[in-house]
Amino acid sequence: DAGVTQSPTHLIKTRGQQVTLRCSPKSGHDTVSWYQQALGQGPQFIFQYYEEEERQRGNFPDRFSGHQFPNYSSELNVNALLLGDSALYLCASSAGLGQGYYEQYFGPGTRLTVT
Amino acid sequence: DQQVKQNSPSLSVQEGRISILNCDYTNSMFDYFLWYKKYPAEGPTFLISISSIKDKNEDGRFTVFLNKSAKHLSLHIVPSQPGDSAVYFCAATKTWNSGNTPLVFGKGTRLSVIA
């Protein structure tokens, strides 16, 4: 049973560019949340997708957007990259909104470096 | 404004002794608390949780204590093992009937268990 998978593992981009990160949830899960973990910080909630809609959003600018596909996989898009966007981006999945965030399973993350 | 604080960035403990990791929170609305463990190159994994209606929850070598009046929780690991060496994150949320608010994480404490 595959857990949460994320791609790519590492990514280097230049300021001003756009990036797309991908996540496949754990089998049986239909809800995906994205987190940003800056160096020396804890994960910070970006947004959550359920039934292909953004359900909750953290304190992140509109440059951060996402999408969920009918197979429950998800993408995180970041436009106009800033140096401060350099971080580990974590995807977490869970089974239905009612299960709550505490039933989340995290992927290994994508390390994004903006130069 | 950090709502969840882990004031010790690191902790070293001898194998077989007790490890105590501390966490403080400021938002009195939080009613559910979790500990996650993170190894390098892996996503956080859920360890143990506690509801605000309890003051203690135990799972094998791991025990979480909650002091609501002090807005303080702690994770005890007894006995500590070298495999426990990881970064530990405290997280908090507010629950309701149909779900809960996004998890708010502390910055983490790096535990090193020395053989």
Side-chain angles (χ1 to χ4, degrees):
Chain A
D1 177 21
V4 179
T5 59
Q6 293 185 242
S7 63
T9 306
H10 296 90
L11 203 51
I12 300 175
K13 289 286 189 177
T14 304
R15 271 179 301 176
Q17 285 188 318
Q18 178 264 345
V19 68
T20 297
L21 310 181
R22 295 176 176 82
C23 171
S24 291
K26 179 179 168 62
S27 178
H29 285 183
D30 55 8
T31 303
V32 173
S33 300
W34 286 92
Y35 293 81
Q36 180 194 66
Q37 186 182 2
L39 200 61
Q41 304 292 318
Q44 190 173 359
F45 175 75
I46 303 175
F47 43 53
Q48 181 199 54
Y49 276 84
Y50 174 70
E51 291 186 336
E52 302 179 47
E53 289 186 14
E54 183 182 295
R55 298 292 177 158
Q56 289 199 48
R57 187 178 184 93
N59 189 23
F60 279 81
D62 292 344
R63 298 187 298 108
F64 290 77
S65 64
H67 188 77
Q68 186 179 35
F69 298 94
N71 68 352
Y72 310 122
S73 66
S74 176
E75 288 182 349
L76 164 66
N77 300 293
V78 187
N79 294 321
L81 284 167
L82 304 173
L83 294 179
D85 295 331
S86 295
L88 179 68
Y89 287 85
L90 294 163
C91 170
S93 72
S94 55
L97 283 179
Q99 287 291 329
Y101 294 91
Y102 38 84
E103 299 286 351
Q104 293 181 114
Y105 290 78
F106 282 85
T110 293
R111 172 73 61 188
L112 172 65
T113 302
V114 182
T115 62
Chain B
D1 175 29
Q2 260 200 294
Q3 299 185 70
V4 177
K5 300 177 185 179
Q6 293 178 256
N7 292 320
S8 298
S10 62
L11 175 68
S12 272
V13 172
Q14 287 286 119
E15 180 180 7
R17 306 295 285 267
I18 183 171
S19 294
I20 300 176
L21 295 92
N22 294 304
C23 177
D24 297 294
Y25 62 97
T26 58
N27 189 338
S28 57
M29 297 296 287
F30 289 144
D31 61 359
Y32 198 86
F33 306 88
L34 308 90
W35 286 93
Y36 280 81
K37 179 169 73 172
K38 186 179 186 303
Y39 294 118
E42 294 183 13
T45 55
F46 170 73
L47 193 58
I48 192 169
S49 62
I50 188 166
S51 165
S52 61
I53 62 173
K54 296 185 175 181
D55 54 17
K56 176 182 174 181
N57 188 27
E58 203 169 345
D59 184 2
R61 297 185 297 113
F62 302 91
T63 303
V64 56
F65 295 92
L66 175 62
N67 182 333
K68 281 193 301 182
S69 60
K71 294 192 179 70
H72 176 83
L73 60 155
S74 60
L75 173 68
H76 292 210
I77 306 174
V78 185
S80 301
Q81 300 174 352
D84 296 330
S85 297
V87 177
Y88 288 79
F89 291 101
C90 172
T93 183
K94 161 67 183 166
T95 63
W96 63 80
N97 287 341
S98 59
N100 55 286
T101 60
L103 294 178
V104 178
F105 285 84
K107 291 186 177 183
T109 296
R110 181 177 302 278
L111 173 66
S112 299
V113 180
I114 304 161

